[in-house]
Amino acid sequence: MKKSLALLIVYFFVFSTAFGQLKNLILTREQNNKWMDSVKTLPFDQQLLSIRDRLLADTNVYVRQLYNDRIKTNFKIVDSLGNRKYGDGKPLIIIDDTPFFIDNKTATYKIVKLATLLNQTYIKEVYLVSPNDPAATAIYGYEGRSGIIIMTLTKKKYFKKFKQLQLKPNY
């Protein structure tokens, strides 16, 4: 009984964090650039916390699609959840040289699981590539347009836990 109550409290905390942060969402390129620059200045443990918070908050952000001619889609999409906001992009996450793609179709439970794995037990270091850095799009193209978060694991054996999330590109 105590375990189920504790589990319920943890899930309530995680989901209230994930779905309750509508006022501090990062929706524009300018906000994203400021966020990336501010995270670079934080100590390591605060970087991980900030990245986790961003991942969870971004579950409410639907990225506007951009076609090759750079025209954004302008049609209305009916939102069954009612709390989704539209933004310009999310940073690409790379863990031990493997990109983990989080897009509009990524299941929320996978994002929450990824966020729980982002701690000092698993992650050894974090390096951020600014969206203004030409390397962001030169290496990863369109996926790197909102910046890149590169993380190194403390032990190679932990990669299995991240790989199980199956956060791969849809193309």
Side-chain angles (χ1 to χ4, degrees):
M1 184 69 177
K2 288 184 179 182
K3 283 186 178 181
S4 61
L5 182 60
L7 187 61
L8 182 64
I9 290 171
V10 168
Y11 276 113
F12 176 74
F13 175 73
V14 168
F15 284 107
S16 67
T17 301
F19 300 114
Q21 296 183 355
L22 291 176
K23 60 186 171 197
N24 295 327
L25 294 178
I26 297 168
L27 301 174
T28 66
R29 285 204 188 281
E30 293 78 27
Q31 289 172 330
N32 184 58
N33 292 349
K34 286 180 185 176
W35 180 83
M36 292 287 280
D37 290 340
S38 70
V39 171
K40 285 180 182 180
T41 64
L42 297 174
F44 176 66
D45 58 332
Q46 293 298 313
Q47 284 181 331
L48 286 176
L49 205 68
S50 185
I51 292 167
R52 253 193 321 242
D53 288 347
R54 170 80 189 264
L55 273 175
L56 294 173
D58 275 355
T59 58
N60 289 325
V61 177
Y62 184 86
V63 177
R64 293 182 207 114
Q65 299 301 309
L66 196 65
Y67 294 103
N68 291 337
D69 58 2
R70 306 248 184 233
I71 298 174
K72 294 178 183 175
T73 55
N74 200 13
F75 53 88
K76 301 283 185 201
I77 297 175
V78 177
D79 186 5
S80 61
L81 295 176
N83 65 349
R84 185 178 289 161
K85 301 290 182 189
Y86 294 90
D88 291 333
K90 301 175 185 179
L92 174 63
I93 296 176
I94 299 174
I95 300 172
D96 272 2
D97 299 324
T98 303
F100 286 79
F101 296 93
I102 298 174
D103 59 11
N104 297 332
K105 297 176 185 175
T106 303
T108 303
Y109 79 90
K110 289 183 178 184
I111 297 170
V112 172
K113 179 68 174 164
L114 176 63
T116 59
L117 291 173
L118 297 181
N119 60 55
Q120 291 181 350
T121 303
Y122 299 114
I123 306 297
K124 180 170 53 174
E125 63 183 351
V126 174
Y127 178 74
L128 293 120
V129 180
S130 172
N132 299 325
D133 189 341
T137 53
I139 298 171
Y140 288 98
Y142 183 71
E143 297 294 336
R145 76 193 178 286
S146 294
I148 303 172
I149 301 170
I150 302 170
M151 294 182 242
T152 307
L153 295 176
T154 54
K155 296 181 181 176
K156 293 287 183 191
K157 69 179 183 178
Y158 293 144
F159 186 72
K160 189 177 186 183
K161 292 180 182 261
F162 289 91
K163 192 174 180 181
Q164 289 173 346
L165 296 173
Q166 297 178 343
L167 295 172
K168 299 176 184 173
N170 292 325
Y171 49 86

